[in-house]
Amino acid sequence: MAAAIWFLIALSVYIAGPCNGGVTSYYVRKSSPSVDMPIEHFPPPSGHNVPEQVHITQGDHDGRSVIVSWVTPRKAHSHVVKHWAADKCNHKHKTHASTTTYTYHKYKSGFIHHATIKRLEYDTKYFYEVGHGHETRQFFFTTPPKEGPDVPYTFGIIGDLGQTYDSNSTLEHYMSNPKGQAVLFLGDLSYADHYAYHDNRRWDVWGRFVEKSTAYQPWIWTAGNHELDYGPEFGEPVPFKSYMHRYHVPYKASKSTSPLWYSIKRASAYVIVLSSYSAYGTYTPQYNWLQEELPKVNRSETPWLIILVHSPWYNSNNYHFKEGESMRVMFEPWLVHYKVDMVLSGHVHSYERSERVSNVKYNITDGLCTPVKDPSAPIYLTLGDGGNIEGLANSFTEPQPSYSAFREASFGHATLEIKNRTHAYYTWHRNHDNEPVAADSLWIHNRIWYPEEED
Ligand SMILES: *[C@@H]1O[C@H](CO)[C@@H](O)[C@H](O)[C@H]1NC(C)=O
Ligand SMILES: *[C@@H]1O[C@H](CO)[C@@H](O)[C@H](O)[C@H]1NC(C)=O
Ligand SMILES: *[C@@H]1O[C@H](CO)[C@@H](O)[C@H](O)[C@H]1NC(C)=O
Ligand SMILES: *[C@@H]1O[C@H](CO)[C@@H](O)[C@H](O)[C@H]1NC(C)=O
């Protein structure tokens, strides 16, 4: 019965699309308010000074290092992580962390540790252990295969997660898929700024909530507007203070001067992270960096060029409409020139996939300011659908513009299964379906090795 209903909904989606644009899904999500999970659901692990909020990310440019981060609530000790290859448990290595704390209004953080484990073997399972004496905790991760053009690799894609019951559903759905090896996170982590004085305890709760995934898989971080935590009215004028103390990224390895923009190589993908909330005009550090970065990408080594940026450049929701426009104007010509495969964004709390379009001809006087189909252009994906407390953005512009291929206001996540240098299978999963069900899917063709139109 349920299956039959799903089939009918799926069918109606495909016959009901308006003629100008693509498909506006008519799936109607069961409406329930987005409520944060109570703080009490995520107590610190029991003990005096037990490590918590454990998370890992890539620690260098190539994937042979891992940054392990954790918080000890009462004492700085111990700031050491031990690790060993799964098949060599007699060879334990120690890495020292740098340890930091910060205050935010009346909040005082625990001791935040970041340790970069270096010179790991590719494609190897490692265990690691943080803590001291009988208060230790053990986790594991697997390093990526050495980079190469036909190395298969699967990324999960999550944005705007927050910490509601819907956020939990999104994360559980992602984790129930055994294929995901690393997460491309599109910004807006904890939404602590939803609370009075940006109650930073909500950053701690978020760290505990996502630990079930972040301790075992690298999450590649992008900063969103909810990471700004800009509160000059109560004495907190430094943007990104909490985020930058808690989440470290390997920005120096890509010659960046800021953790807010950087790049990594992983298997067959080259991932460039940009910051919507840092200057990007001509001559700014981010502009200069991206200008030098794009020509460095060797598509014979890493065929898949993927950009992460919080605020979308092509999106047809009324919510946050055109907020990414000035950055699009600055950078889109470069992305088309270098044949970027896809641009992943969050920010808008719904799901949308674009056609391959560009809008780079306008020169003030020529009037050429309409997006046109362009085989050199990326696909733009908006995945601000993680499930945070602000709820869904369910008001789309009408009629659906021609650049929009598929849109739906539901919570969910996506996966990108890179198969080889020519093909990657992309799927979007709404929370109200089971993980194996793909509410939107596409075989993506690489722009360098197989620049054919997608079906
Ligand atoms: C999160 O989801 C999992 C799986 O459905 C469930 O077991 C757990 O209780 C949920 N957590 C909260 C706080 O609701
Ligand atoms: C690009 O990568 C390929 C494959 O690893 C390598 O043979 C080639 O030398 C690289 N090109 C440059 C310019 O580094
Ligand atoms: C803008 O484009 C028009 C039409 O192609 C051309 O005549 C004009 O010279 C261009 N202006 C500039 C400043 O490039
Ligand atoms: C790449 O993967 C696709 C999808 O699995 C497959 O159809 C294609 O034959 C593969 N190409 C090569 C060269 O193996």
Side-chain angles (χ1 to χ4, degrees), residues 57-58 61 183-187 219-224 243 249-251 254 256 258-265 270-276 278 286-287 289-290 293-294 305-310 313 327 331 342-344:
T57 194
Q58 185 161 319
H61 204 232
V183 170
L184 303 175
F185 190 79
L186 309 176
W219 283 40
I220 308 306
W221 302 108
T222 311
Y243 171 70
V249 299
Y251 67 99
S254 55
S256 167
S258 165
L260 301 170
W261 57 88
Y262 63 100
S263 69
I264 58 157
K265 297 191 277 188
Y270 198 105
V271 178
I272 294 179
V273 176
L274 298 179
S275 173
S276 299
S278 306
Q286 182 169 209
Y287 177 100
W289 177 81
L290 185 61
E293 176 70 7
L294 284 164
L305 179 51
I306 300 169
I307 298 216
L308 319 186
V309 62
H310 186 61
W313 302 354
M327 196 185 208
F331 291 155
M342 46 211 301
V343 176
L344 312 180

Side-chain angles (χ1 to χ4, degrees), residues 77 147 151 153 181 200 234 252 257 271 283 293 327 363 377 397 400 444:
H77 194 65
E147 61 269 37
V151 179
Y153 200 79
Q181 295 169 279
N200 269 227
F234 48 85
K252 288 178 186 159
T257 49
V271 178
Y283 312 132
E293 176 70 7
M327 196 185 208
N363 79 353
T397 60
Q400 184 167 15
I444 297 184

